[in-house]
Amino acid sequence: MSNYKTVCGLEVHAELATKTKVFCSCSTSFGAPPNSQVCEVCTGMPGTLPVLNERVLEFAVRTGLALNCKITLNNRFDRKNYFYPDLPKAYQISQLYLPICTGGFVEIEDSVNGGKKRVRIHEIHIEEDAGKLIHNDETGETLINYNRCGVPLLEIVSEPDIATADEASDYVSRLREILRFCGVSDCKMQEGSLRADVNVSVMPADSDVLGTRTEMKNLSSFRAIRASVDAEAKRQISVIESGGRIIQETRRWDEAQGVSVSMRSKEEAQDYRYFPEPDLPPITLSQGYVDEIKAKLPELPKEKKARYMRDFGLSEYDTSIICSSLDFVRLFELTAGLTGSPKDSANWIMGELMRLLNENQLAPEDMGFRRESLAEIINLLNGGKISRDSAKAVFEAVFKDNVDPAEYIRENNLELLSDGTLLRETALGAIGANPKAVSEYLSGKQQALNYLVGQCMRMLKGKASAPEITKLLKELIDE
């Protein structure tokens, strides 16, 4: 592999988070019964006319601005003609000649030279999604669900600036962050709302001439993206080394086998017989419209990370974890505001919360507890009302059953003792029963004090504040 360079470009399809489809009023909600969210327009019945969803236009412009693109003020739709069972009208409304966004870039980690690098964006265009085929391998039958027909998509086309599988995954991850922070897509890869077509070619390490590329369609996980880039590059090198020739084609990634399989020769623009969409007028945007959307752009991940490090003193690692999910960001900002402790808030999210999410195989967006509960637990812990172990137990109950922290603590008798007389008597008892440990502490052995603290905690059955017991023991021994 060291004798070759991998060149990769991605076409990422993001379903937009609009309530209705791009050219009709059918719902876009996920998980509805098959073929229950269709109408004459999105299934292409004769005599119907599409009408553009204005929110789709707004989301496209917002995305382009967030990705540093130039917005095309005068653009239009084009008709892409092809027959496939999941496309009932035998054409797709897309944009070829005048896409709504051009240029732009996404900054990623440079896995070859170190530091940062920019992956350029060639264009972003609006198009409608096709339906979904469900194959039954046992019966040989194929069912079609047209609910997805007409769901609005943005296709984000990169330049071939990606050099490794890690860079490909990083690019999609950064893109996903930006889209989610902008509020234009939920980017749930498990539901197909973010999918990537991966174009891969290889060339000799000392050459600048691009090799013949192949395309793998509809990859919907970071693992599949990384694995497919690596495997396809190795396959192409093996073909070249054995004297063969790479054919430009579309391939299917078989995740179970870890290989790509040839599907068909790669189509070019002329194969689709593009022509201007006759049923939709050209789109004319004013610069004022674009400026208004730009003024309302939310804080993006890069700026948010910089602010967290500057204002809250979080490390770059902390901010990268928190900003990896919009749900983490919302929880962090709420918790930090209610506790006044950004570092504690970040540590609980990166520690206990991520542990519970991983153990239960849940994504951040699947968190089902009342968001204020985490701040309440941190405040109780920092206020000396509960121990750290109890705080963890309470949070686990909150995470699993959405309990009220204060009620759970009361019902399970978890609140720390605050009876000063009892604490003092217990500390005096430990000192009196352990003269050797007291003597060793006075001679400078810190472990001896820790032993005394442990004795007190045992007698109090863990229902005391260890820092408070430590302070009390020091005071009594000094007396």
Side-chain angles (χ1 to χ4, degrees):
M1 294 266 307
S2 61
N3 296 326
Y4 291 86
K5 293 186 290 189
T6 300
V7 179
C8 182
L10 273 73
E11 300 164 16
V12 175
H13 297 79
E15 287 187 2
L16 297 180
T18 56
K19 292 182 180 179
T20 55
K21 295 183 181 181
V22 60
F23 300 123
C24 68
S25 59
C26 288
S27 172
T28 59
S29 61
F30 180 81
N35 300 308
S36 63
Q37 297 178 167
V38 296
C39 71
E40 297 86 352
V41 174
C42 56
T43 52
M45 296 294 123
T48 59
L49 288 174
V51 178
L52 177 61
N53 183 338
E54 185 178 358
R55 181 70 78 176
V56 171
L57 195 62
E58 177 192 337
F59 281 8
V61 173
R62 190 189 301 180
T63 302
L65 292 171
L67 295 174
N68 313 290
C69 295
K70 178 183 177 181
I71 306 302
T72 308
L73 297 181
N74 297 294
N75 57 95
R76 71 172 193 228
F77 287 102
D78 302 293
R79 187 173 289 190
K80 180 180 180 181
N81 297 276
Y82 67 96
F83 172 75
Y84 206 65
D86 61 3
L87 195 69
K89 58 189 179 186
Y91 66 85
Q92 178 189 40
I93 299 176
S94 182
Q95 291 183 309
L96 175 68
Y97 300 106
L98 293 170
I100 194 163
C101 309
T102 57
F105 63 88
V106 173
E107 193 171 71
I108 66 168
E109 298 294 329
D110 189 330
S111 64
V112 177
N113 302 306
K116 306 287 186 181
K117 68 181 282 187
R118 288 181 174 181
V119 176
R120 295 168 297 156
I121 292 173
H122 177 71
E123 68 176 52
I124 302 173
H125 58 261
I126 302 169
E127 63 183 24
E128 59 182 337
D129 207 347
K132 184 176 182 179
L133 302 179
I134 300 96
H135 304 289
N136 188 323
D137 293 332
E138 294 182 1
T139 65
E141 296 173 325
T142 295
L143 303 176
I144 306 175
N145 182 0
Y146 286 131
N147 280 352
R148 208 166 66 181
C149 276
V151 168
L153 294 178
L154 288 185
E155 181 171 346
I156 304 167
V157 183
S158 82
E159 299 286 1
D161 293 339
I162 295 168
T164 66
D166 285 340
E167 287 186 5
S169 177
D170 190 22
Y171 168 75
V172 177
S173 177
R174 302 295 177 97
L175 197 58
R176 182 176 183 267
E177 281 181 7
I178 293 170
L179 293 172
R180 292 202 68 208
F181 275 62
C182 282
V184 301
S185 175
D186 62 25
C187 294
K188 293 181 179 179
M189 300 178 84
Q190 70 276 17
E191 294 181 3
S193 57
L194 191 75
R195 315 186 293 272
D197 298 343
V198 177
N199 293 275
V200 178
S201 67
V202 298
M203 60 184 180
D206 57 356
S207 173
D208 291 323
V209 180
L210 292 174
T212 302
R213 65 187 171 94
T214 61
E215 180 182 35
M216 284 168 288
K217 306 283 284 187
N218 290 327
L219 301 175
S220 56
S221 72
F222 294 112
R223 181 174 64 181
I225 290 168
R226 282 193 299 271
S228 64
V229 172
D230 263 342
E232 180 59 14
K234 290 176 181 177
R235 185 194 71 83
Q236 291 186 18
I237 291 170
S238 176
V239 170
I240 294 169
E241 288 288 297
S242 63
R245 182 173 63 88
I246 303 302
I247 300 170
Q248 185 168 325
E249 60 183 348
T250 298
R251 302 180 66 85
R252 176 178 60 83
W253 175 246
D254 186 328
E255 190 159 7
Q257 300 296 322
V259 296
S260 63
V261 180
S262 179
M263 292 174 60
R264 58 182 182 272
S265 61
K266 173 64 180 161
E267 302 90 343
E268 300 291 354
Q270 61 267 22
D271 296 321
Y272 294 116
R273 305 186 311 282
Y274 281 97
F275 61 83
E277 171 54 52
D279 292 336
L280 287 163
I283 303 168
T284 302
L285 307 177
S286 69
Q287 188 59 49
Y289 173 81
V290 175
D291 292 342
E292 183 179 350
I293 293 175
K294 186 174 184 179
K296 295 178 181 177
L297 272 181
E299 189 177 39
L300 298 175
K302 184 178 180 181
E303 290 73 30
K304 195 174 287 291
K305 290 175 185 177
R307 179 169 65 83
Y308 286 175
M309 287 190 286
R310 181 185 66 247
D311 296 348
F312 297 150
L314 298 185
S315 68
E316 186 174 355
Y317 174 78
D318 292 347
T319 61
S320 67
I321 297 296
I322 297 298
C323 291
S324 67
S325 163
L326 188 57
D327 296 275
F328 283 164
V329 165
R330 289 169 176 160
L331 179 60
F332 168 74
E333 294 190 350
L334 174 65
T335 307
L338 293 173
T339 62
S341 180
K343 185 60 178 175
D344 281 344
S345 303
N347 286 343
W348 273 84
I349 291 170
M350 295 187 297
E352 289 304 299
L353 176 57
M354 290 188 67
R355 176 183 69 81
L356 290 167
L357 287 171
N358 291 334
E359 286 179 1
N360 292 276
Q361 297 184 326
L362 295 174
E365 56 265 29
D366 298 324
M367 295 184 292
F369 58 88
R370 184 173 62 92
R371 297 299 189 263
E372 291 82 3
S373 294
L374 178 56
E376 292 170 8
I377 293 169
I378 293 173
N379 285 334
L380 288 166
L381 173 62
N382 291 344
K385 301 296 184 182
I386 56 175
S387 69
R388 180 162 291 278
D389 286 343
S390 292
K392 291 180 179 179
V394 175
F395 183 62
E396 186 158 351
V398 164
F399 181 90
K400 292 181 177 178
D401 300 317
N402 194 26
V403 300
D404 178 85
E407 289 183 9
Y408 186 85
I409 290 166
R410 185 171 58 254
E411 291 171 359
N412 291 274
N413 198 23
L414 296 176
E415 189 167 2
L416 293 178
L417 293 169
S418 57
D419 185 338
T421 301
L422 176 60
L423 297 180
R424 183 180 177 85
E425 289 177 354
T426 303
L428 285 171
I431 291 171
N434 297 279
K436 181 180 178 182
V438 173
S439 176
E440 289 178 348
Y441 169 66
L442 290 172
S443 66
K445 293 184 177 179
Q446 182 63 36
Q447 287 182 336
L449 182 63
N450 294 341
Y451 173 77
L452 291 171
V453 172
Q455 292 301 301
C456 290
M457 297 298 286
R458 180 180 60 79
M459 287 186 281
L460 295 167
K461 298 180 179 180
K463 295 189 65 179
S465 166
E468 188 174 348
I469 290 291
T470 302
K471 180 182 177 183
L472 184 58
L473 284 168
K474 285 181 179 179
E475 292 174 352
L476 291 172
I477 292 172
D478 288 342
E479 290 176 5

